[in-house]
Amino acid sequence: MATFRVADASEYLAITGWGIDDVKLAKKAWVFVGQQCKKFSISPVNYEFEVHAMSAEKLPFILPAVFTIGPKITATGAEASDKRDLEAQLLLYAKLIAPLHRSRSHVHELVKGIIEGETRVLAADLTMEEIFKGTKTFKEKVFNRVQLELNQFGLVIYNANVKQLVDVPGHEYFSYLGQKTQQDAANQAKVDVAEARMKGEVGAKEREGLTRQNAAKVDAETKVLSVRQQGQGLKEEAKVKAEVQVFENAREADIAAAKAELAMKKAGFDKQAKVAEVEAAKAVAIREAELQMEVERKNAMRQTEKLKAEQLSKATVQYETQVQESNALFYSRQKAAEAALFEQMRTAEARKAQADAQFFEQKMAEDAKLYAKQKEAESLALLGRAKTEYAASMLQALGGNYYALRDYLMIDGGMYTEMASINAGAVNGMQPKISIWSNGAGADGAAANAGKEAAGGSALQQVAGVYKMLPPLLSTVHEQTGMLPPAWMGALPKDGAAN
């Protein structure tokens, strides 16, 4: 009575029949008797095309493009109104496109027709330069226009990749443009190489001069620092020796004081033992010891100051002498370095001026050659364009008849006259067969023709003159080579008759 149908993740169920007014879409549903259920895929499909289009200048080109197109599906979390619109688009896709999936060629042709039509309409409004430089804008316009057409089928473009434009065989616009760019780049590269070579030589000379200057400066600073450090070392050595001597004298004074204190204590003990007997004698002895200690301390301080003064004076004299010698040596070397630097700078300036003159001369010569080549190329391009326009106008005037254009160009270029001259030279000395042709009907005909020519203009007179010359020329060619003129020019008379 009923079956339960479930669609895959990338599929939908389209149910029609009993109890359903139009089409019901679902991911899972019960299918009852009197109903039909079809599965259809909603996966996007890649369509690859090569669209042949023509720009506003009537230049054909090929636009390779890849479009990823699929149905519009309901987004999770969308608002109610947006959800209803997406469901309507999906229902439209299920009705129009999903039944054709078994025949992918039909869907491919449908999408291809829409894309080609919109691309050609858009390309016809743009020049080739606008299309080439504004590829992103061109892609967006194609994308928007194609999307408007696909909306009526419930389809959406997920991705559009427009590749580089390709030349149509026989119309090498991009090839010629690339060759022009390569030639411009090559010429610019030559100019850049010459300029870089000039800068490199000048920079090398400047760096060499700076290197020598810095080397002389470092040598001078090194020697000054060396002398200064030697003087500082001698000064520190003298200071250390003086401090050592002061410490030794202080130790001796401490020892003497300790001995005196010991003697005082002994004297005190003796004084206590013999207070009454030797008080006066010991008092004198103590005073004498104190005076002797004061004398020794003064002598030690005097000797210490004397040693300090001697060592300091020697160190000061030696330091000043070495400083004066170092200043004299530094001054002489500085002057020598400045003289060498001045000479190198003058030499570098002379070489730079010579290099600038040579570079300017070479640049002017290269600019002259480049200008001559550009003018020659422009003249050739103008001549070729004029010949092309002339041939196109003549072909249009002749109704698109290529053979008529070829024969006219041969006549206009004097090809038949040259052939007649060659044939005349070949039969020189022979007894040719002479035919007499009449191009008019006597004096009356000449007068009538003169009136018509005056009315027709000088251009028609020239063409009439050429065609009057053709019958004897074609007859001679036929007699000598057996060749007949084309049918559109006329037929030669039978043997023995004349036109």
Side-chain angles (χ1 to χ4, degrees):
M1 293 295 292
T3 58
F4 188 72
R5 304 290 296 275
V6 179
D8 293 336
S10 61
E11 293 180 342
Y12 263 88
L13 299 178
I15 306 172
T16 58
W18 178 78
I20 299 174
D21 295 334
D22 190 4
V23 178
K24 178 183 178 182
L25 300 179
K27 297 291 286 186
K28 56 185 178 179
W30 286 98
V31 179
F32 298 95
V33 177
Q35 293 180 348
Q36 287 187 356
C37 179
K38 298 290 185 182
K39 289 184 180 180
F40 64 92
S41 176
I42 59 172
S43 299
V45 180
N46 289 330
Y47 297 96
E48 186 171 358
F49 310 104
E50 286 189 354
V51 181
H52 293 256
M54 185 175 293
S55 65
E57 308 103 319
K58 297 182 176 58
L59 292 175
F61 64 91
I62 298 176
L63 180 67
V66 178
F67 285 81
T68 302
I69 300 175
K72 293 183 180 179
I73 59 175
T74 304
T76 304
E79 296 182 358
S81 59
D82 295 338
K83 193 171 183 180
R84 285 194 298 270
D85 293 340
L86 292 174
E87 288 177 353
Q89 292 290 332
L90 185 60
L91 184 61
L92 192 63
Y93 172 78
K95 292 179 180 180
L96 301 178
I97 303 300
L100 302 177
H101 260 287
R102 295 182 180 179
S103 176
R104 282 195 66 181
S105 61
H106 185 76
V107 180
H108 186 275
E109 291 298 326
L110 174 65
V111 176
K112 181 179 180 181
I114 295 173
I115 294 173
E116 285 186 346
E118 296 300 329
T119 304
R120 288 171 180 167
V121 170
L122 181 60
D125 295 334
L126 300 174
T127 62
M128 186 66 75
E129 192 70 16
E130 292 174 347
I131 296 173
F132 187 75
K133 289 185 177 181
T135 305
K136 183 178 180 181
T137 306
F138 182 70
K139 173 186 172 182
E140 292 176 354
K141 291 183 179 178
V142 172
F143 184 94
N144 294 331
R145 291 195 176 190
V146 172
Q147 183 59 62
L148 289 176
E149 294 295 327
L150 293 178
N151 285 336
Q152 60 185 337
F153 298 102
L155 295 173
V156 65
I157 301 175
Y158 287 95
N159 183 36
N161 184 15
V162 177
K163 302 179 182 178
Q164 293 294 334
L165 303 181
V166 181
D167 285 324
V168 176
H171 298 80
E172 288 77 13
Y173 173 80
F174 296 111
S175 299
Y176 293 150
L177 191 62
Q179 292 176 7
K180 177 180 179 297
T181 304
Q182 290 177 0
Q183 290 297 327
D184 293 342
N187 294 333
Q188 185 62 35
K190 291 179 181 179
V191 174
D192 293 341
V193 168
E195 185 176 357
R197 187 179 293 113
M198 181 270 292
K199 290 183 179 178
E201 292 177 357
V202 174
K205 295 300 182 181
E206 291 179 353
R207 290 299 179 87
E208 184 178 355
L210 290 175
T211 302
R212 292 180 180 178
Q213 294 176 18
N214 293 332
K217 182 178 179 181
V218 170
D219 289 340
E221 291 178 353
T222 302
K223 291 182 180 179
V224 170
L225 181 62
S226 176
V227 173
R228 186 178 297 170
Q229 288 180 350
Q230 289 179 0
Q232 188 71 21
L234 294 174
K235 182 178 179 181
E236 292 294 333
E237 183 179 0
K239 182 178 180 181
V240 170
K241 288 181 179 180
E243 290 177 354
V244 170
Q245 188 66 35
V246 170
F247 180 74
E248 290 179 354
N249 293 335
R251 290 292 300 276
E252 290 178 358
D254 292 339
I255 292 172
K259 289 180 178 180
E261 186 178 359
L262 179 60
M264 289 174 64
K265 288 182 178 181
K266 288 181 178 180
F269 293 149
D270 293 339
K271 183 180 179 180
Q272 291 177 1
K274 300 178 180 180
V275 175
E277 296 178 357
V278 293
E279 185 176 6
K282 293 299 179 182
V284 172
I286 292 171
R287 183 60 182 168
E288 290 179 353
E290 290 177 354
L291 293 174
Q292 185 64 30
M293 182 179 64
E294 187 70 22
V295 171
E296 291 179 355
R297 187 170 58 203
K298 293 294 183 179
N299 289 333
M301 292 175 65
R302 182 179 59 80
Q303 292 177 359
T304 300
E305 293 297 331
K306 182 180 179 180
L307 290 174
K308 284 184 178 181
E310 291 177 355
Q311 294 293 335
L312 181 61
S313 62
K314 289 181 181 179
T316 303
V317 171
Q318 186 176 5
Y319 170 72
E320 292 178 354
T321 302
Q322 292 177 354
V323 167
Q324 293 295 330
E325 292 177 354
S326 300
N327 291 336
L329 182 60
F330 171 72
Y331 181 77
S332 62
R333 292 183 177 178
Q334 184 179 12
K335 290 300 181 181
E338 290 177 354
L341 174 61
F342 180 75
E343 182 180 358
Q344 292 174 1
M345 289 176 62
R346 294 298 299 274
T347 304
E349 290 176 356
R351 292 180 180 177
K352 181 179 179 182
Q354 184 178 3
D356 290 339
Q358 293 178 356
F359 171 73
F360 181 75
E361 183 179 356
Q362 293 177 358
K363 183 178 179 181
M364 293 299 293
E366 293 295 331
D367 290 343
K369 291 180 182 179
L370 178 60
Y371 182 75
K373 292 292 184 182
Q374 288 178 348
K375 289 300 180 182
E376 183 180 357
E378 290 176 359
S379 62
L380 291 176
L382 290 174
L383 180 59
R385 191 178 298 112
K387 288 183 178 181
T388 302
E389 293 176 354
Y390 174 71
S393 63
M394 289 302 299
L395 183 62
Q396 184 178 4
L398 294 172
N401 192 334
Y402 170 76
Y403 298 101
L405 176 63
R406 180 195 64 187
D407 294 337
Y408 174 76
L409 292 177
M410 290 177 66
I411 294 171
D412 186 57
M415 181 65 69
Y416 289 113
T417 305
E418 186 177 356
M419 291 171 58
S421 299
I422 294 172
N423 290 332
V427 300
N428 189 18
M430 298 176 61
Q431 296 180 356
K433 179 181 177 181
I434 299 174
S435 300
I436 298 175
W437 294 81
S438 176
N439 293 324
D444 296 334
N449 291 334
K452 292 180 181 179
E453 290 173 355
S458 59
L460 294 177
Q461 290 177 4
Q462 295 177 1
V463 176
V466 172
Y467 273 90
K468 287 178 181 180
M469 184 184 66
L470 288 179
L473 178 61
L474 297 176
S475 176
T476 302
V477 172
H478 175 64
E479 290 174 359
Q480 298 295 329
T481 63
M483 296 177 60
L484 291 173
W488 61 270
M489 292 185 66
L492 292 176
K494 304 287 186 176
D495 292 338
N499 290 332

